[in-house]
Amino acid sequence: MIELEGVPELVDPVMVAAFEGWNDAGDAASTAVAHLDREWKGEVFAALDAEDYYDFQVNRPTVWLDGGVRKVTWPTTRLSVVRVGGEKPRDLVLVRGIEPSMRWRSFCNEILGFAHELGVELVVIMGALLGDTPHTRPVPVSGVTSDADLARTMDLEETKYEGPTGIVGILQEACTHAGVPAVSLWAAVPHYVSQPPNPKATLALLNRLEDLIDLRIPLGELPEDARAWQLGVDQLAAEDSEVAEYVQSLEEARDTAELPEASGDAIAREFERYLRRRDGSGPATGQAGGHATESGDPAPFLRDNPGGRPRPSKPQRPEADDEGSVDDSSED
């Protein structure tokens, strides 16, 4: 039995989870949860025992100095709570960690144990994958679920994906079997600029989360970071004629594929988001100056993904699948 001491009764709680590793291209998903934790000043209330789930030769602990005293930080998964006030108060349970090396079923059972004890009404798991998508266009974010009823009521895709999966897919299935409503949000990151951070993908995930749970998220400087990131990649791409030509081919393929989808409903959704952010007293309040990324050069290296995937010589339209809307064969 999981006993939670010092955790107050939560209001309409939603669990939001992300895990570093294979399901986190460009660190987009884990950075999104870190942003929520920072902006709303989350309080850690639990950490899973690292000995149970991690291979320390794969995810090594780190040693650091605290006032001259050496300490060790072990790789693990931590849970924190953020209290969100306002006209529609809703609390979040944030789960952030590293994809476990072993005992995935026990790992998911522990997470679900916390969800049950806290009265979580919905689990949202965020991930990011590498895909043939241009950095100059809006980041594709797909929402999928294994629950047919949830797919209909929340306008999501019902997953029919078959193939290798990560902890995101396993946790979603564990939620489904436990009767806990669960959704996965997947952002597509350009494979030719896969190095983290990717604030544009992080921003896209947070925007989709806003729409999904009807909760206004303070974005801090994340929109500015996303614009700086795109400008930096634009400049680097302009210096390489092969990359520039390839990006143009991806743009043409993307625009052609999405032309029929530029419907009145899609335009209306974007306009509604714009009105929500203008409504009231301006931008949502939060910790001043919150960054979703560390300071430094916003433009990552232009290169093939770490798995060694070669840059295609001619455009390829993204192939849809149900776990992430674009080909996820090159996920980290």
Side-chain angles (χ1 to χ4, degrees):
M1 175 67 70
I2 296 175
E3 297 182 2
L4 301 176
E5 297 181 1
V7 179
E9 184 175 350
L10 303 182
V11 178
D12 298 332
V14 172
M15 177 176 281
V16 182
F19 303 94
E20 300 173 19
W22 198 63
N23 295 140
D24 193 25
D27 293 351
S30 59
T31 301
V33 174
H35 178 88
L36 296 173
D37 189 74
R38 179 170 48 252
E39 289 290 330
W40 276 318
K41 300 179 181 178
E43 298 181 3
V44 175
F45 66 87
L48 276 58
D49 190 341
E51 290 278 352
D52 291 339
Y53 304 113
Y54 294 100
D55 180 347
F56 298 138
Q57 291 182 324
V58 176
N59 298 291
R60 292 186 178 274
T62 57
V63 179
W64 55 288
L65 292 175
D66 181 13
V69 178
R70 293 175 66 81
K71 294 186 176 181
V72 177
T73 298
W74 296 93
T76 189
T77 294
R78 293 179 173 82
L79 290 84
S80 60
V81 169
V82 297
R83 313 303 306 270
V84 184
E87 296 181 0
K88 296 181 179 179
R90 160 161 268 182
D91 298 330
L92 300 182
V93 179
L94 304 180
V95 181
R96 183 187 176 205
I98 305 170
E99 182 177 67
S101 306
M102 60 195 80
R103 301 185 183 92
W104 284 19
R105 286 176 291 186
S106 297
F107 179 88
C108 291
N109 285 337
E110 277 212 61
I111 298 295
L112 285 169
F114 284 111
H116 174 72
E117 289 297 318
L118 293 169
V120 167
E121 299 179 348
L122 175 70
V123 176
V124 181
I125 316 161
M126 294 195 285
L129 50 85
L130 298 177
D132 293 327
T133 183
H135 72 278
T136 53
R137 296 294 185 265
V139 175
V141 177
S142 60
V144 298
T145 181
S146 299
D147 187 323
D149 293 334
L150 198 63
R152 286 191 296 269
T153 58
M154 302 190 76
D155 191 24
L156 301 166
E157 301 174 37
E158 186 178 356
T159 180
K160 294 179 173 60
Y161 172 79
E162 295 179 305
T165 189
I167 193 61
V168 171
I170 296 300
L171 181 55
Q172 178 170 314
E173 290 307 307
C175 289
T176 300
H177 288 298
V180 179
V183 176
S184 296
L185 298 181
W186 289 93
V189 172
H191 71 84
Y192 59 90
V193 58
S194 60
Q195 289 287 87
N198 190 317
K200 187 173 181 178
T202 295
L203 179 61
L205 282 169
L206 292 175
N207 283 335
R208 185 62 186 272
L209 180 64
E210 263 194 336
D211 296 339
L212 185 70
I213 64 176
D214 192 24
L215 184 65
R216 191 174 178 188
I217 298 173
L219 298 178
E221 297 182 15
L222 188 54
E224 182 180 342
D225 290 342
R227 286 190 293 269
W229 176 86
Q230 181 166 328
L231 179 60
V233 179
D234 285 344
Q235 293 172 344
L236 289 177
E239 297 172 0
D240 187 324
S241 59
E242 182 183 356
V243 173
E245 181 180 353
Y246 178 58
V247 171
Q248 183 178 3
S249 68
L250 288 178
E251 291 172 340
E252 293 171 354
R254 171 79 175 271
D255 294 344
T256 300
E258 292 190 346
L259 187 60
E261 299 177 7
S263 63
D265 289 342
I267 295 172
R269 283 195 298 269
E270 291 302 315
F271 187 61
E272 287 173 1
R273 179 182 291 126
Y274 168 74
L275 290 178
R276 283 200 303 271
R277 290 221 160 266
R278 289 186 68 250
D279 187 33
S281 58
T285 57
Q287 183 177 342
H291 283 73
T293 61
E294 296 180 358
S295 60
D297 185 354
F301 295 109
L302 289 172
R303 52 175 249 180
D304 292 324
N305 71 67
R309 170 180 177 174
R311 183 184 298 134
S313 58
K314 55 185 178 180
Q316 298 177 355
R317 287 181 55 179
E319 297 181 5
D321 68 33
D322 291 300
E323 182 148 347
S325 84
V326 294
D327 180 11
D328 66 346
S329 61
S330 58
E331 284 184 275
D332 300 326

PDB file of all heavy atoms in Angstrom, residues 20 47-63 72-78 96-101 107:
ATOM      1  N   GLU A  20      12.818  10.649 -20.046  1.00  0.00           N
ATOM      2  CA  GLU A  20      13.985  10.848 -20.902  1.00  0.00           C
ATOM      3  C   GLU A  20      14.365   9.524 -21.547  1.00  0.00           C
ATOM      4  O   GLU A  20      14.173   8.457 -20.982  1.00  0.00           O
ATOM      5  CB  GLU A  20      15.156  11.367 -20.072  1.00  0.00           C
ATOM      6  CG  GLU A  20      14.898  12.694 -19.383  1.00  0.00           C
ATOM      7  CD  GLU A  20      16.022  13.076 -18.441  1.00  0.00           C
ATOM      8  OE1 GLU A  20      17.133  12.522 -18.583  1.00  0.00           O
ATOM      9  OE2 GLU A  20      15.796  13.919 -17.556  1.00  0.00           O
ATOM     10  N   ALA A  47       9.708   9.537  -4.759  1.00  0.00           N
ATOM     11  CA  ALA A  47      10.692   9.121  -5.756  1.00  0.00           C
ATOM     12  C   ALA A  47      10.756   7.602  -5.742  1.00  0.00           C
ATOM     13  O   ALA A  47      10.788   6.984  -4.674  1.00  0.00           O
ATOM     14  CB  ALA A  47      12.061   9.720  -5.463  1.00  0.00           C
ATOM     15  N   LEU A  48      10.771   7.003  -6.920  1.00  0.00           N
ATOM     16  CA  LEU A  48      10.845   5.556  -7.000  1.00  0.00           C
ATOM     17  C   LEU A  48      12.256   5.082  -6.657  1.00  0.00           C
ATOM     18  O   LEU A  48      13.228   5.792  -6.915  1.00  0.00           O
ATOM     19  CB  LEU A  48      10.451   5.078  -8.396  1.00  0.00           C
ATOM     20  CG  LEU A  48       8.955   4.906  -8.664  1.00  0.00           C
ATOM     21  CD1 LEU A  48       8.185   6.202  -8.439  1.00  0.00           C
ATOM     22  CD2 LEU A  48       8.706   4.394 -10.063  1.00  0.00           C
ATOM     23  N   ASP A  49      12.369   3.907  -6.087  1.00  0.00           N
ATOM     24  CA  ASP A  49      13.665   3.362  -5.689  1.00  0.00           C
ATOM     25  C   ASP A  49      14.479   3.044  -6.939  1.00  0.00           C
ATOM     26  O   ASP A  49      14.121   2.169  -7.731  1.00  0.00           O
ATOM     27  CB  ASP A  49      13.466   2.099  -4.857  1.00  0.00           C
ATOM     28  CG  ASP A  49      14.758   1.612  -4.216  1.00  0.00           C
ATOM     29  OD1 ASP A  49      15.845   2.013  -4.683  1.00  0.00           O
ATOM     30  OD2 ASP A  49      14.680   0.819  -3.259  1.00  0.00           O
ATOM     31  N   ALA A  50      15.591   3.749  -7.112  1.00  0.00           N
ATOM     32  CA  ALA A  50      16.418   3.584  -8.305  1.00  0.00           C
ATOM     33  C   ALA A  50      16.955   2.168  -8.446  1.00  0.00           C
ATOM     34  O   ALA A  50      17.135   1.667  -9.563  1.00  0.00           O
ATOM     35  CB  ALA A  50      17.575   4.589  -8.273  1.00  0.00           C
ATOM     36  N   GLU A  51      17.201   1.496  -7.331  1.00  0.00           N
ATOM     37  CA  GLU A  51      17.752   0.139  -7.366  1.00  0.00           C
ATOM     38  C   GLU A  51      16.821  -0.837  -8.082  1.00  0.00           C
ATOM     39  O   GLU A  51      17.267  -1.833  -8.655  1.00  0.00           O
ATOM     40  CB  GLU A  51      18.008  -0.370  -5.943  1.00  0.00           C
ATOM     41  CG  GLU A  51      19.156   0.300  -5.216  1.00  0.00           C
ATOM     42  CD  GLU A  51      20.505  -0.288  -5.596  1.00  0.00           C
ATOM     43  OE1 GLU A  51      20.525  -1.307  -6.298  1.00  0.00           O
ATOM     44  OE2 GLU A  51      21.515   0.277  -5.186  1.00  0.00           O
ATOM     45  N   ASP A  52      15.523  -0.544  -8.068  1.00  0.00           N
ATOM     46  CA  ASP A  52      14.548  -1.477  -8.611  1.00  0.00           C
ATOM     47  C   ASP A  52      14.433  -1.408 -10.128  1.00  0.00           C
ATOM     48  O   ASP A  52      14.015  -2.386 -10.762  1.00  0.00           O
ATOM     49  CB  ASP A  52      13.162  -1.207  -8.004  1.00  0.00           C
ATOM     50  CG  ASP A  52      13.106  -1.574  -6.529  1.00  0.00           C
ATOM     51  OD1 ASP A  52      13.955  -2.381  -6.092  1.00  0.00           O
ATOM     52  OD2 ASP A  52      12.226  -1.049  -5.827  1.00  0.00           O
ATOM     53  N   TYR A  53      14.791  -0.258 -10.726  1.00  0.00           N
ATOM     54  CA  TYR A  53      14.421  -0.053 -12.122  1.00  0.00           C
ATOM     55  C   TYR A  53      15.547   0.387 -13.055  1.00  0.00           C
ATOM     56  O   TYR A  53      15.338   0.407 -14.262  1.00  0.00           O
ATOM     57  CB  TYR A  53      13.301   0.995 -12.198  1.00  0.00           C
ATOM     58  CG  TYR A  53      12.100   0.615 -11.367  1.00  0.00           C
ATOM     59  CD1 TYR A  53      11.744   1.354 -10.246  1.00  0.00           C
ATOM     60  CD2 TYR A  53      11.347  -0.516 -11.676  1.00  0.00           C
ATOM     61  CE1 TYR A  53      10.646   0.994  -9.474  1.00  0.00           C
ATOM     62  CE2 TYR A  53      10.260  -0.892 -10.907  1.00  0.00           C
ATOM     63  CZ  TYR A  53       9.908  -0.122  -9.806  1.00  0.00           C
ATOM     64  OH  TYR A  53       8.841  -0.490  -9.042  1.00  0.00           O
ATOM     65  N   TYR A  54      16.710   0.710 -12.525  1.00  0.00           N
ATOM     66  CA  TYR A  54      17.735   1.283 -13.395  1.00  0.00           C
ATOM     67  C   TYR A  54      19.029   0.479 -13.370  1.00  0.00           C
ATOM     68  O   TYR A  54      19.463   0.003 -12.317  1.00  0.00           O
ATOM     69  CB  TYR A  54      18.021   2.740 -13.000  1.00  0.00           C
ATOM     70  CG  TYR A  54      16.827   3.621 -13.250  1.00  0.00           C
ATOM     71  CD1 TYR A  54      15.975   3.973 -12.206  1.00  0.00           C
ATOM     72  CD2 TYR A  54      16.511   4.061 -14.530  1.00  0.00           C
ATOM     73  CE1 TYR A  54      14.856   4.757 -12.433  1.00  0.00           C
ATOM     74  CE2 TYR A  54      15.398   4.848 -14.769  1.00  0.00           C
ATOM     75  CZ  TYR A  54      14.570   5.186 -13.718  1.00  0.00           C
ATOM     76  OH  TYR A  54      13.457   5.952 -13.956  1.00  0.00           O
ATOM     77  N   ASP A  55      19.616   0.352 -14.543  1.00  0.00           N
ATOM     78  CA  ASP A  55      20.951  -0.226 -14.698  1.00  0.00           C
ATOM     79  C   ASP A  55      21.933   0.935 -14.620  1.00  0.00           C
ATOM     80  O   ASP A  55      21.989   1.778 -15.516  1.00  0.00           O
ATOM     81  CB  ASP A  55      21.056  -0.931 -16.047  1.00  0.00           C
ATOM     82  CG  ASP A  55      22.421  -1.556 -16.295  1.00  0.00           C
ATOM     83  OD1 ASP A  55      23.367  -1.237 -15.539  1.00  0.00           O
ATOM     84  OD2 ASP A  55      22.550  -2.329 -17.250  1.00  0.00           O
ATOM     85  N   PHE A  56      22.712   0.989 -13.561  1.00  0.00           N
ATOM     86  CA  PHE A  56      23.571   2.152 -13.334  1.00  0.00           C
ATOM     87  C   PHE A  56      24.766   2.199 -14.277  1.00  0.00           C
ATOM     88  O   PHE A  56      25.471   3.209 -14.333  1.00  0.00           O
ATOM     89  CB  PHE A  56      24.045   2.175 -11.879  1.00  0.00           C
ATOM     90  CG  PHE A  56      22.909   2.309 -10.897  1.00  0.00           C
ATOM     91  CD1 PHE A  56      22.893   1.558  -9.728  1.00  0.00           C
ATOM     92  CD2 PHE A  56      21.849   3.155 -11.148  1.00  0.00           C
ATOM     93  CE1 PHE A  56      21.850   1.669  -8.828  1.00  0.00           C
ATOM     94  CE2 PHE A  56      20.794   3.279 -10.261  1.00  0.00           C
ATOM     95  CZ  PHE A  56      20.794   2.530  -9.095  1.00  0.00           C
ATOM     96  N   GLN A  57      25.003   1.117 -15.035  1.00  0.00           N
ATOM     97  CA  GLN A  57      26.009   1.196 -16.082  1.00  0.00           C
ATOM     98  C   GLN A  57      25.451   1.838 -17.347  1.00  0.00           C
ATOM     99  O   GLN A  57      26.202   2.256 -18.215  1.00  0.00           O
ATOM    100  CB  GLN A  57      26.546  -0.206 -16.409  1.00  0.00           C
ATOM    101  CG  GLN A  57      27.388  -0.795 -15.283  1.00  0.00           C
ATOM    102  CD  GLN A  57      27.952  -2.150 -15.655  1.00  0.00           C
ATOM    103  OE1 GLN A  57      27.304  -2.945 -16.345  1.00  0.00           O
ATOM    104  NE2 GLN A  57      29.168  -2.437 -15.213  1.00  0.00           N
ATOM    105  N   VAL A  58      24.127   1.912 -17.444  1.00  0.00           N
ATOM    106  CA  VAL A  58      23.471   2.590 -18.561  1.00  0.00           C
ATOM    107  C   VAL A  58      23.143   4.026 -18.189  1.00  0.00           C
ATOM    108  O   VAL A  58      23.414   4.964 -18.937  1.00  0.00           O
ATOM    109  CB  VAL A  58      22.191   1.833 -18.987  1.00  0.00           C
ATOM    110  CG1 VAL A  58      21.459   2.598 -20.093  1.00  0.00           C
ATOM    111  CG2 VAL A  58      22.535   0.425 -19.441  1.00  0.00           C
ATOM    112  N   ASN A  59      22.526   4.204 -17.027  1.00  0.00           N
ATOM    113  CA  ASN A  59      22.218   5.534 -16.496  1.00  0.00           C
ATOM    114  C   ASN A  59      23.011   5.733 -15.211  1.00  0.00           C
ATOM    115  O   ASN A  59      22.590   5.309 -14.138  1.00  0.00           O
ATOM    116  CB  ASN A  59      20.710   5.657 -16.206  1.00  0.00           C
ATOM    117  CG  ASN A  59      19.873   5.510 -17.453  1.00  0.00           C
ATOM    118  OD1 ASN A  59      19.882   6.365 -18.322  1.00  0.00           O
ATOM    119  ND2 ASN A  59      19.151   4.397 -17.557  1.00  0.00           N
ATOM    120  N   ARG A  60      24.166   6.330 -15.352  1.00  0.00           N
ATOM    121  CA  ARG A  60      25.092   6.400 -14.235  1.00  0.00           C
ATOM    122  C   ARG A  60      24.715   7.506 -13.239  1.00  0.00           C
ATOM    123  O   ARG A  60      24.231   8.573 -13.630  1.00  0.00           O
ATOM    124  CB  ARG A  60      26.514   6.644 -14.728  1.00  0.00           C
ATOM    125  CG  ARG A  60      27.086   5.447 -15.492  1.00  0.00           C
ATOM    126  CD  ARG A  60      28.536   5.626 -15.864  1.00  0.00           C
ATOM    127  NE  ARG A  60      29.032   4.428 -16.540  1.00  0.00           N
ATOM    128  CZ  ARG A  60      29.525   3.350 -15.926  1.00  0.00           C
ATOM    129  NH1 ARG A  60      29.589   3.342 -14.613  1.00  0.00           N
ATOM    130  NH2 ARG A  60      29.933   2.310 -16.617  1.00  0.00           N
ATOM    131  N   PRO A  61      24.925   7.249 -11.946  1.00  0.00           N
ATOM    132  CA  PRO A  61      24.719   8.307 -10.955  1.00  0.00           C
ATOM    133  C   PRO A  61      25.771   9.392 -11.118  1.00  0.00           C
ATOM    134  O   PRO A  61      26.806   9.180 -11.753  1.00  0.00           O
ATOM    135  CB  PRO A  61      24.884   7.569  -9.617  1.00  0.00           C
ATOM    136  CG  PRO A  61      25.737   6.376  -9.948  1.00  0.00           C
ATOM    137  CD  PRO A  61      25.377   5.987 -11.348  1.00  0.00           C
ATOM    138  N   THR A  62      25.507  10.550 -10.570  1.00  0.00           N
ATOM    139  CA  THR A  62      26.453  11.665 -10.634  1.00  0.00           C
ATOM    140  C   THR A  62      26.874  12.070  -9.227  1.00  0.00           C
ATOM    141  O   THR A  62      26.082  11.986  -8.276  1.00  0.00           O
ATOM    142  CB  THR A  62      25.842  12.879 -11.351  1.00  0.00           C
ATOM    143  OG1 THR A  62      24.638  13.272 -10.678  1.00  0.00           O
ATOM    144  CG2 THR A  62      25.511  12.543 -12.801  1.00  0.00           C
ATOM    145  N   VAL A  63      28.111  12.500  -9.121  1.00  0.00           N
ATOM    146  CA  VAL A  63      28.666  12.966  -7.853  1.00  0.00           C
ATOM    147  C   VAL A  63      28.812  14.481  -7.926  1.00  0.00           C
ATOM    148  O   VAL A  63      29.248  15.027  -8.936  1.00  0.00           O
ATOM    149  CB  VAL A  63      30.037  12.302  -7.573  1.00  0.00           C
ATOM    150  CG1 VAL A  63      30.625  12.814  -6.263  1.00  0.00           C
ATOM    151  CG2 VAL A  63      29.889  10.787  -7.535  1.00  0.00           C
ATOM    152  N   VAL A  72      25.720  12.109  -3.905  1.00  0.00           N
ATOM    153  CA  VAL A  72      25.431  11.319  -5.096  1.00  0.00           C
ATOM    154  C   VAL A  72      23.964  11.510  -5.467  1.00  0.00           C
ATOM    155  O   VAL A  72      23.075  11.421  -4.611  1.00  0.00           O
ATOM    156  CB  VAL A  72      25.711   9.822  -4.869  1.00  0.00           C
ATOM    157  CG1 VAL A  72      25.327   9.012  -6.107  1.00  0.00           C
ATOM    158  CG2 VAL A  72      27.180   9.605  -4.526  1.00  0.00           C
ATOM    159  N   THR A  73      23.724  11.788  -6.743  1.00  0.00           N
ATOM    160  CA  THR A  73      22.365  11.840  -7.265  1.00  0.00           C
ATOM    161  C   THR A  73      22.137  10.598  -8.128  1.00  0.00           C
ATOM    162  O   THR A  73      22.861  10.369  -9.098  1.00  0.00           O
ATOM    163  CB  THR A  73      22.137  13.109  -8.106  1.00  0.00           C
ATOM    164  OG1 THR A  73      22.304  14.268  -7.282  1.00  0.00           O
ATOM    165  CG2 THR A  73      20.730  13.116  -8.688  1.00  0.00           C
ATOM    166  N   TRP A  74      21.127   9.810  -7.754  1.00  0.00           N
ATOM    167  CA  TRP A  74      20.854   8.569  -8.461  1.00  0.00           C
ATOM    168  C   TRP A  74      19.775   8.796  -9.516  1.00  0.00           C
ATOM    169  O   TRP A  74      18.812   9.537  -9.287  1.00  0.00           O
ATOM    170  CB  TRP A  74      20.381   7.494  -7.474  1.00  0.00           C
ATOM    171  CG  TRP A  74      21.425   7.135  -6.473  1.00  0.00           C
ATOM    172  CD1 TRP A  74      21.596   7.678  -5.230  1.00  0.00           C
ATOM    173  CD2 TRP A  74      22.467   6.185  -6.641  1.00  0.00           C
ATOM    174  NE1 TRP A  74      22.677   7.111  -4.608  1.00  0.00           N
ATOM    175  CE2 TRP A  74      23.242   6.184  -5.454  1.00  0.00           C
ATOM    176  CE3 TRP A  74      22.838   5.306  -7.671  1.00  0.00           C
ATOM    177  CZ2 TRP A  74      24.338   5.358  -5.262  1.00  0.00           C
ATOM    178  CZ3 TRP A  74      23.930   4.481  -7.491  1.00  0.00           C
ATOM    179  CH2 TRP A  74      24.664   4.509  -6.297  1.00  0.00           C
ATOM    180  N   PRO A  75      19.908   8.161 -10.670  1.00  0.00           N
ATOM    181  CA  PRO A  75      18.860   8.296 -11.695  1.00  0.00           C
ATOM    182  C   PRO A  75      17.579   7.644 -11.206  1.00  0.00           C
ATOM    183  O   PRO A  75      17.596   6.511 -10.721  1.00  0.00           O
ATOM    184  CB  PRO A  75      19.446   7.548 -12.896  1.00  0.00           C
ATOM    185  CG  PRO A  75      20.413   6.569 -12.299  1.00  0.00           C
ATOM    186  CD  PRO A  75      20.988   7.243 -11.090  1.00  0.00           C
ATOM    187  N   THR A  76      16.479   8.354 -11.299  1.00  0.00           N
ATOM    188  CA  THR A  76      15.214   7.799 -10.824  1.00  0.00           C
ATOM    189  C   THR A  76      14.054   8.547 -11.459  1.00  0.00           C
ATOM    190  O   THR A  76      14.234   9.385 -12.334  1.00  0.00           O
ATOM    191  CB  THR A  76      15.127   7.875  -9.286  1.00  0.00           C
ATOM    192  OG1 THR A  76      13.978   7.140  -8.840  1.00  0.00           O
ATOM    193  CG2 THR A  76      15.021   9.309  -8.802  1.00  0.00           C
ATOM    194  N   THR A  77      12.860   8.248 -10.999  1.00  0.00           N
ATOM    195  CA  THR A  77      11.642   8.942 -11.423  1.00  0.00           C
ATOM    196  C   THR A  77      11.009   9.574 -10.198  1.00  0.00           C
ATOM    197  O   THR A  77      10.807   8.905  -9.181  1.00  0.00           O
ATOM    198  CB  THR A  77      10.655   7.961 -12.088  1.00  0.00           C
ATOM    199  OG1 THR A  77      11.219   7.483 -13.312  1.00  0.00           O
ATOM    200  CG2 THR A  77       9.323   8.636 -12.378  1.00  0.00           C
ATOM    201  N   ARG A  78      10.712  10.867 -10.305  1.00  0.00           N
ATOM    202  CA  ARG A  78      10.144  11.616  -9.180  1.00  0.00           C
ATOM    203  C   ARG A  78       8.733  12.102  -9.500  1.00  0.00           C
ATOM    204  O   ARG A  78       8.421  12.401 -10.649  1.00  0.00           O
ATOM    205  CB  ARG A  78      11.044  12.804  -8.821  1.00  0.00           C
ATOM    206  CG  ARG A  78      12.395  12.382  -8.255  1.00  0.00           C
ATOM    207  CD  ARG A  78      13.284  13.585  -7.926  1.00  0.00           C
ATOM    208  NE  ARG A  78      14.496  13.169  -7.232  1.00  0.00           N
ATOM    209  CZ  ARG A  78      15.585  12.703  -7.832  1.00  0.00           C
ATOM    210  NH1 ARG A  78      15.607  12.634  -9.150  1.00  0.00           N
ATOM    211  NH2 ARG A  78      16.634  12.339  -7.133  1.00  0.00           N
ATOM    212  N   ARG A  96       8.242  12.728 -13.729  1.00  0.00           N
ATOM    213  CA  ARG A  96       9.384  13.015 -14.598  1.00  0.00           C
ATOM    214  C   ARG A  96      10.556  12.136 -14.195  1.00  0.00           C
ATOM    215  O   ARG A  96      10.927  12.075 -13.026  1.00  0.00           O
ATOM    216  CB  ARG A  96       9.777  14.491 -14.488  1.00  0.00           C
ATOM    217  CG  ARG A  96      10.917  14.890 -15.416  1.00  0.00           C
ATOM    218  CD  ARG A  96      11.351  16.303 -15.114  1.00  0.00           C
ATOM    219  NE  ARG A  96      12.492  16.703 -15.914  1.00  0.00           N
ATOM    220  CZ  ARG A  96      13.346  17.648 -15.560  1.00  0.00           C
ATOM    221  NH1 ARG A  96      13.202  18.280 -14.417  1.00  0.00           N
ATOM    222  NH2 ARG A  96      14.360  17.956 -16.340  1.00  0.00           N
ATOM    223  N   GLY A  97      11.125  11.453 -15.186  1.00  0.00           N
ATOM    224  CA  GLY A  97      12.254  10.597 -14.884  1.00  0.00           C
ATOM    225  C   GLY A  97      12.913  10.085 -16.144  1.00  0.00           C
ATOM    226  O   GLY A  97      12.833  10.704 -17.206  1.00  0.00           O
ATOM    227  N   ILE A  98      13.569   8.946 -16.019  1.00  0.00           N
ATOM    228  CA  ILE A  98      14.279   8.314 -17.116  1.00  0.00           C
ATOM    229  C   ILE A  98      13.575   6.990 -17.421  1.00  0.00           C
ATOM    230  O   ILE A  98      13.104   6.312 -16.512  1.00  0.00           O
ATOM    231  CB  ILE A  98      15.751   8.056 -16.735  1.00  0.00           C
ATOM    232  CG1 ILE A  98      16.409   9.366 -16.285  1.00  0.00           C
ATOM    233  CG2 ILE A  98      16.523   7.438 -17.886  1.00  0.00           C
ATOM    234  CD1 ILE A  98      17.779   9.170 -15.660  1.00  0.00           C
ATOM    235  N   GLU A  99      13.500   6.655 -18.696  1.00  0.00           N
ATOM    236  CA  GLU A  99      12.913   5.369 -19.048  1.00  0.00           C
ATOM    237  C   GLU A  99      13.633   4.259 -18.273  1.00  0.00           C
ATOM    238  O   GLU A  99      14.857   4.160 -18.322  1.00  0.00           O
ATOM    239  CB  GLU A  99      13.035   5.122 -20.549  1.00  0.00           C
ATOM    240  CG  GLU A  99      12.392   3.830 -20.992  1.00  0.00           C
ATOM    241  CD  GLU A  99      12.457   3.644 -22.500  1.00  0.00           C
ATOM    242  OE1 GLU A  99      13.592   3.464 -23.012  1.00  0.00           O
ATOM    243  OE2 GLU A  99      11.419   3.692 -23.159  1.00  0.00           O
ATOM    244  N   PRO A 100      12.893   3.423 -17.544  1.00  0.00           N
ATOM    245  CA  PRO A 100      13.551   2.403 -16.721  1.00  0.00           C
ATOM    246  C   PRO A 100      14.259   1.349 -17.566  1.00  0.00           C
ATOM    247  O   PRO A 100      13.885   1.085 -18.713  1.00  0.00           O
ATOM    248  CB  PRO A 100      12.391   1.792 -15.920  1.00  0.00           C
ATOM    249  CG  PRO A 100      11.169   2.091 -16.723  1.00  0.00           C
ATOM    250  CD  PRO A 100      11.422   3.390 -17.407  1.00  0.00           C
ATOM    251  N   SER A 101      15.273   0.750 -16.972  1.00  0.00           N
ATOM    252  CA  SER A 101      16.052  -0.289 -17.650  1.00  0.00           C
ATOM    253  C   SER A 101      15.442  -1.673 -17.477  1.00  0.00           C
ATOM    254  O   SER A 101      15.748  -2.577 -18.250  1.00  0.00           O
ATOM    255  CB  SER A 101      17.486  -0.306 -17.099  1.00  0.00           C
ATOM    256  OG  SER A 101      18.088   0.959 -17.161  1.00  0.00           O
ATOM    257  N   PHE A 107       7.188  -1.074 -12.481  1.00  0.00           N
ATOM    258  CA  PHE A 107       7.324   0.378 -12.566  1.00  0.00           C
ATOM    259  C   PHE A 107       5.957   1.017 -12.835  1.00  0.00           C
ATOM    260  O   PHE A 107       5.542   1.961 -12.143  1.00  0.00           O
ATOM    261  CB  PHE A 107       8.306   0.721 -13.687  1.00  0.00           C
ATOM    262  CG  PHE A 107       8.543   2.181 -13.909  1.00  0.00           C
ATOM    263  CD1 PHE A 107       9.540   2.857 -13.207  1.00  0.00           C
ATOM    264  CD2 PHE A 107       7.793   2.895 -14.831  1.00  0.00           C
ATOM    265  CE1 PHE A 107       9.770   4.207 -13.424  1.00  0.00           C
ATOM    266  CE2 PHE A 107       8.013   4.242 -15.056  1.00  0.00           C
ATOM    267  CZ  PHE A 107       9.009   4.905 -14.346  1.00  0.00           C
TER     268      PHE A 107
END
